[in-house]
């Protein structure tokens, strides 16, 4: 059993921290910007709460975070009440936020200067994966620190892999989001085309999902896309944040992302029309009404 802190109890962090307590059997102290959420978590899972990241991190073997963006990660680490102010030498900070590779490298250097370790470990699998404890985790950072962190992360992940040096986890997550965006747009167009062609959508999906077109998105989102129901996962606003990070990194490394840039503009249209909290499968909403049968 390890003593660990968890910073950030959003839709992902709340169940992930819970798995550390229930599956992992670890001693968990939690911090959340709104203390009511931390008290709710404590009521459900036990453990302790803290009023600042620094208080939560004191005497911990590892500190986990899952917050909003680069600025939030910086705040809970190197801010005045950040975890780096109280973490003991040799402790590991494990960041599950989807953020930039630049912030990962910056905080890895800041951690090293304090005798700490920092791993960038963004996740894939969405809220349902977090609740099921079946996330995919892409890690960047020191190999020895990763080896110590991997058994802890396993409490809420089905797949964990170190991708390389600091920032590599974030770069892998960017590649993941680029691929996901393309798959969702392709599925949206396929369903829209089939609707207009008068095909039986259930029969179509049952057939093509057994071939090369199969994907997680097809298996899990075709019904809700066909029904134009968009309250089942990762939000448009969050995807726009992630694709913005991808496009910013591409501008730096010279990668060409024409489809990603186009799909980001489609998501921008949905957000402007009030769909910012719809899930990412809402790309189909741009393509016209279903054919009446």
């Amino acid at each position: 059993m390890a003593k660990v802190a968890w910073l950030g109890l959003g839709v992902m962090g709340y169940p992930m921290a819970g798995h550390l307590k229930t599956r992992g059997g670890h001693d968990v102290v939690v911090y959340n910007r709104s203390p009511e959420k931390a008290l709710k978590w404590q009521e459900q899972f036990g453990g302790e709460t803290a009023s600042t990241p620094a208080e939560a991190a004191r005497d911990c073997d590892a500190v986990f975070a899952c917050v909003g963006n680069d600025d939030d990660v910086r705040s809970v680490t190197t801010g005045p009440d950040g975890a780096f102010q109280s973490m003991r030498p040799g402790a590991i900070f494990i960041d599950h936020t989807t953020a930039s590779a630049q912030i990962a490298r910056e905080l890895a250097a800041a951690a090293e200067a304090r005798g700490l370790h920092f791993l960038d470990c963004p996740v894939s699998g969405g809220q349902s994966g977090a609740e099921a404890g079946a996330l995919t985790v892409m890690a960047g950072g020191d190999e020895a620190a990763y080896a110590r962190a991997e058994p802890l992360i396993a409490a809420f992940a089905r797949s964990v892999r170190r991708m390389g040096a600091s920032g590599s986890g974030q770069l892998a997550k960017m590649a993941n989001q680029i691929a996901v965006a393309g798959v969702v747009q392709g599925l949206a167009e396929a369903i829209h085309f089939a609707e207009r062609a008068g095909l039986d959508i259930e029969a179509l999906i049952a057939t093509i999902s057994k071939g090369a077109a199969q994907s997680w998105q097809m298996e899990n989102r075709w019904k809700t896309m066909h029904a134009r129901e968009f309250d089942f996962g990762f939000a448009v606003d969050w995807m726009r944040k992630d694709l913005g990070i991808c496009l910013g990194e591409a501008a730096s490394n010279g990668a060409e992302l024409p489809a990603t840039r186009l799909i980001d503009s489609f998501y921008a249209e949905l957000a402007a029309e009030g769909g910012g909290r719809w899930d990412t499968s809402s790309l189909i909403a741009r393509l016209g009404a279903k054919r009446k049968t």
Side-chain angles (χ1 to χ4, degrees), residues 52-55 75-85:
T52 67
E55 180 186 336
S75 175
V76 300
T77 51
T78 59
D81 293 316
F84 284 12
Q85 310 303 329

Side-chain angles (χ1 to χ4, degrees), residues 114-140:
R114 291 169 166 82
L116 309 172
H117 302 285
F118 181 92
L119 300 174
D120 53 291
C121 298
V123 304
S124 179
Q127 183 177 350
S128 60
E131 291 171 350
L135 293 168
T136 295
V137 181
M138 300 147 270

Side-chain angles (χ1 to χ4, degrees), residues 59-76:
D59 296 325
C60 286
D61 303 298
V63 180
F64 293 81
C66 190
V67 291
N69 55 37
D70 285 20
D71 289 339
D72 294 327
V73 180
R74 191 179 285 110
S75 175
V76 300

Side-chain angles (χ1 to χ4, degrees), residues 89-246:
I92 308 169
F93 193 99
I94 303 163
D95 181 32
H96 293 299
T97 309
T98 296
S100 70
Q102 179 181 350
I103 192 68
R105 298 182 188 114
E106 173 191 319
L107 294 177
E112 184 177 9
R114 291 169 166 82
L116 309 172
H117 302 285
F118 181 92
L119 300 174
D120 53 291
C121 298
V123 304
S124 179
Q127 183 177 350
S128 60
E131 291 171 350
L135 293 168
T136 295
V137 181
M138 300 147 270
D142 177 74
E143 191 168 1
Y146 169 77
R148 290 168 53 200
E150 185 178 12
L152 300 174
I153 297 170
F156 48 79
R158 66 179 177 186
S159 175
V160 189
R161 183 161 186 161
R162 178 178 176 267
M163 307 304 298
S166 294
S168 298
Q170 296 295 354
L171 293 170
K173 179 61 183 291
M174 292 176 212
N176 182 84
Q177 299 304 76
I178 290 165
V180 168
V183 169
V184 176
Q185 178 64 19
L187 180 59
E189 292 185 17
I191 292 174
H192 169 67
F193 173 87
E195 289 169 349
R196 289 302 178 99
L199 292 174
D200 180 322
I201 304 302
E202 184 171 2
L204 172 72
I205 297 298
T207 302
I208 68 174
S209 65
K210 303 302 186 293
Q214 190 277 336
S215 68
W216 185 97
Q217 297 291 338
M218 180 176 287
E219 294 286 347
N220 291 275
R221 291 289 177 263
W222 78 265
K223 284 186 179 180
T224 54
M225 290 175 81
H226 181 46
R228 304 304 193 268
E229 297 171 352
F230 306 127
D231 189 27
F232 298 92
F234 195 64
V236 166
D237 287 341
W238 300 341
M239 179 59 101
R240 290 217 65 218
K241 184 207 83 170
D242 290 1
L243 294 183
I245 293 171
C246 297

